[in-house]
Amino acid sequence: MSAPEPPADQATGAASDSTSESADPQKRASRRTPASWAKVAAQRLPSSWVTVTAAALFLAATAAFGGLADAPVAEAAALPQLMAGDTHTNDQFAITFERAVLLNDLSGSGTTPQEGERVLAVVVTMENVTDSPLSTASYAPQTFAVPGLPAQRVDGSKMPTVSVARMDDATTGPFLQPGVPAQLVLTWPVPADRYAAGDEVPLAISDLHWWEPELLFTGNGGQWEDPTPAARVQLTAEDVDAEEAG
């Protein structure tokens, strides 16, 4: 591999569960976890899209998408244009983009929608192409972004960066081991009227670069930094809850 071997990241916290409950019984009825959504979604997918392994229902995903405020978005024409099924490979990850889904709620994903919001979920398969474990909690916010989202949520708080969870067990911010693909769900809270079924959902992808000081006085050897716009992805939104209601 061309990039120097980075140090292992420190493990991050376990998955967080939503503690707020909606008074709307219809919304509560649509509450689901990544694993339960996987079972519903798999019934609608072509068989070529479904990967059945003993390790995971979903392949893992943390790849280079620029953070909402951290990674600048270059002109679309200047970057590679990708779609569902395409793979983007950088010095950290090989990322295959699968689908974008709208849900009322996705418990265990790390994203809790407020009143007037829904969850935008993007499924990706990611493989760590380095020689050391990589934390999705550390690098996904610098590499994945959804252009055009408002800076604030409906309650006026700052819009969060992407959350990452495994689709099989809802572990949030998982580490990816070298050479082991995993299917992950990337989620953002979005205004309820922002997207509808059939809309194009754009993603901005940024690559991080390994930097190692010439004078090794810090003792840590180097780090991944300097997210640079690398690709744009267009996915067509599916609305799972609308399909079930219909």
Side-chain angles (χ1 to χ4, degrees):
M1 178 184 135
S2 59
E5 178 180 345
D9 294 283
Q10 296 296 319
T12 56
S16 59
D17 293 325
S18 169
T19 57
S20 61
E21 294 294 334
S22 169
D24 186 344
Q26 184 175 0
K27 183 174 182 180
R28 286 301 93 197
S30 66
R31 182 181 181 87
R32 51 172 61 85
T33 65
S36 65
W37 170 47
K39 295 177 183 178
V40 174
Q43 298 173 0
R44 299 192 180 92
L45 288 175
S47 59
S48 62
W49 283 28
V50 181
T51 301
V52 180
T53 66
L57 297 176
F58 283 11
L59 296 171
T62 25
F65 281 135
L68 295 176
D70 298 325
V73 178
E75 290 295 329
L79 298 174
Q81 305 296 296
L82 308 178
M83 59 185 65
D86 289 340
T87 299
H88 174 73
T89 302
N90 57 34
D91 290 340
Q92 290 183 298
F93 304 105
I95 309 156
T96 301
F97 305 94
E98 299 186 19
R99 57 199 299 236
V101 179
L102 299 169
L103 308 102
N104 292 337
D105 188 27
L106 189 58
S107 180
S109 67
T111 294
T112 303
Q114 300 173 355
E115 191 69 30
E117 293 180 338
R118 302 189 74 194
V119 175
L120 170 63
V122 173
V123 181
V124 296
T125 294
M126 291 181 62
E127 180 179 346
N128 176 357
V129 298
T130 76
D131 297 324
S132 299
L134 292 177
S135 166
T136 60
S138 297
Y139 300 119
Q142 301 179 72
T143 55
F144 294 91
V146 179
L149 287 186
Q152 294 183 325
R153 304 184 68 174
V154 294
D155 67 351
S157 60
K158 183 180 178 181
M159 181 66 70
T161 56
V162 62
S163 294
V164 184
R166 291 187 63 96
M167 292 295 288
D168 54 350
D169 61 9
T171 298
T172 57
F175 274 72
L176 297 186
Q177 300 299 323
V180 182
Q183 193 169 42
L184 306 181
V185 57
L186 315 174
T187 56
W188 293 262
V190 298
D193 59 355
R194 181 65 181 86
Y195 298 108
D199 287 350
E200 293 299 309
V201 177
L203 298 176
I205 312 303
S206 294
D207 291 347
L208 276 72
H209 307 281
W210 179 252
W211 176 84
E212 190 167 344
E214 294 183 5
L215 299 176
L216 298 179
F217 56 86
T218 61
N220 62 9
Q223 60 188 2
W224 294 101
E225 59 175 29
D226 189 25
T228 304
R232 297 293 293 268
V233 184
Q234 289 285 106
L235 299 173
T236 302
E238 306 168 46
D239 193 327
V240 171
D241 292 304
E243 292 174 4
E244 290 182 351

